[in-house]
Amino acid sequence: MKVLLVNGSPHKKGATYIALDKIRKTLVQNGVDGEIYHIGNKDIHGCIACHGCSRKGHCVFDDEVNSFVKKAESFDGYVFGGPVYYGSINPTLTNFMTRVFYSSFFGGKRIFRLKPAAAVASARRTGTMTSLDTLNRFFTWGEMPIISSTYWNEIYGNNAKEALEDKEGLQTMENLGQNMAWFLKIKELSIKEGIELPISKRVEHTNFIR
């Protein structure tokens, strides 16, 4: 079992990294591999709703998004984390996730379905709740069980040094890692016991204006 932790911050070893690395270390302690994937310093184009992914099987912009989707297929769980910009999650991570989820679904892969996911937000002061709500909406759309912790998945600090002083935030990340590991073990056990994953029906599409 392995979890991919996505660092959407432009700072590779900043506050967001501190939170994700705490989760990763906890996963390893609980017998689950964890890998941090940094995308924050890349130029990520936004989705233009061209629907080209439904024809090509991948996003028409052949960049970090397509590389990530190929890599992510082999993972069992995911954590997406990023910093707060102007009261919400940073645009780079939003662009990235929009194209990842849209192109993988309409490209026919559905690699995230029924795999657990967690959102993490880092902030100097405020905006984490809006950020977490934004990230969690990707998971609920993608049929992904959301992993929670003993508090909201947030850590405070303007940089890595300050984030390390947020003891409650670090504890929240540790508990999140434990919960993720537990869920993955339960899921693996259920599959071994012959409990099949549910089949989703996605035939009906209703538009409100006709």
Side-chain angles (χ1 to χ4, degrees), residues 64-142:
E64 191 76 12
V65 167
N66 290 338
S67 300
F68 175 83
V69 170
K70 290 179 182 178
K71 181 181 182 67
E73 287 187 67
S74 63
F75 284 78
D76 305 293
Y78 309 89
V79 180
F80 289 85
V84 171
Y85 284 10
Y86 289 94
S88 188
I89 202 67
N90 61 315
T92 298
L93 183 57
T94 303
N95 287 347
F96 179 81
M97 292 180 69
T98 299
R99 288 176 52 213
V100 163
F101 277 79
Y102 197 89
S103 64
S104 62
F105 180 86
F106 289 101
K109 294 185 174 64
R110 301 197 68 185
I111 61 173
F112 299 109
R113 181 177 181 265
L114 297 179
K115 293 182 180 181
V120 169
S122 67
R124 182 191 69 83
R125 190 168 181 85
T126 189
T128 55
M129 296 307 299
T130 302
S131 298
L132 294 174
D133 288 342
T134 298
L135 295 176
N136 283 331
R137 282 196 288 271
F138 287 96
F139 310 147
T140 55
W141 181 84

Side-chain angles (χ1 to χ4, degrees), residues 5 17 20-30 32:
L5 303 98
Y17 170 83
L20 295 177
D21 193 51
K22 184 66 173 179
I23 299 170
R24 184 193 63 80
K25 290 176 180 176
T26 305
L27 287 168
V28 172
Q29 292 170 0
N30 285 270
V32 177

Side-chain angles (χ1 to χ4, degrees), residues 6-210:
V6 180
N7 182 0
S9 170
H11 304 291
K12 191 172 184 178
K13 294 290 183 73
T16 302
Y17 170 83
I18 294 299
L20 295 177
D21 193 51
K22 184 66 173 179
I23 299 170
R24 184 193 63 80
K25 290 176 180 176
T26 305
L27 287 168
V28 172
Q29 292 170 0
N30 285 270
V32 177
D33 290 335
E35 178 181 338
I36 295 179
Y37 186 97
H38 184 234
I39 60 108
N41 60 357
K42 306 294 193 308
D43 183 15
I44 306 297
H45 197 290
C47 178
I48 61 173
C50 67
H51 304 291
C53 53
S54 62
R55 299 188 302 271
K56 294 177 173 290
H58 57 78
C59 185
V60 297
F61 299 112
D62 194 14
D63 58 9
E64 191 76 12
V65 167
N66 290 338
S67 300
F68 175 83
V69 170
K70 290 179 182 178
K71 181 181 182 67
E73 287 187 67
S74 63
F75 284 78
D76 305 293
Y78 309 89
V79 180
F80 289 85
V84 171
Y85 284 10
Y86 289 94
S88 188
I89 202 67
N90 61 315
T92 298
L93 183 57
T94 303
N95 287 347
F96 179 81
M97 292 180 69
T98 299
R99 288 176 52 213
V100 163
F101 277 79
Y102 197 89
S103 64
S104 62
F105 180 86
F106 289 101
K109 294 185 174 64
R110 301 197 68 185
I111 61 173
F112 299 109
R113 181 177 181 265
L114 297 179
K115 293 182 180 181
V120 169
S122 67
R124 182 191 69 83
R125 190 168 181 85
T126 189
T128 55
M129 296 307 299
T130 302
S131 298
L132 294 174
D133 288 342
T134 298
L135 295 176
N136 283 331
R137 282 196 288 271
F138 287 96
F139 310 147
T140 55
W141 181 84
E143 287 189 87
M144 303 176 75
I146 295 177
I147 304 300
S148 58
S149 185
T150 45
Y151 198 71
W152 292 287
N153 303 338
E154 57 192 18
I155 194 164
Y156 287 92
N158 201 38
N159 50 50
K161 181 179 179 181
E162 291 182 1
L164 287 170
E165 297 176 6
D166 183 5
K167 302 304 180 183
E168 184 175 355
L170 292 173
Q171 184 181 68
T172 300
M173 299 306 144
E174 180 179 355
N175 292 332
L176 174 58
Q178 291 177 348
N179 291 348
M180 174 69 82
W182 177 84
F183 185 94
L184 287 171
K185 292 174 183 178
I186 292 297
K187 182 181 177 182
E188 183 181 54
L189 180 61
S190 69
I191 293 174
K192 289 181 179 179
E193 292 294 321
I195 301 176
E196 298 181 356
L197 296 177
I199 299 175
S200 295
K201 297 179 180 179
R202 294 183 68 93
V203 179
E204 301 295 337
H205 296 276
T206 302
N207 296 327
F208 294 111
I209 299 176
R210 297 180 181 276

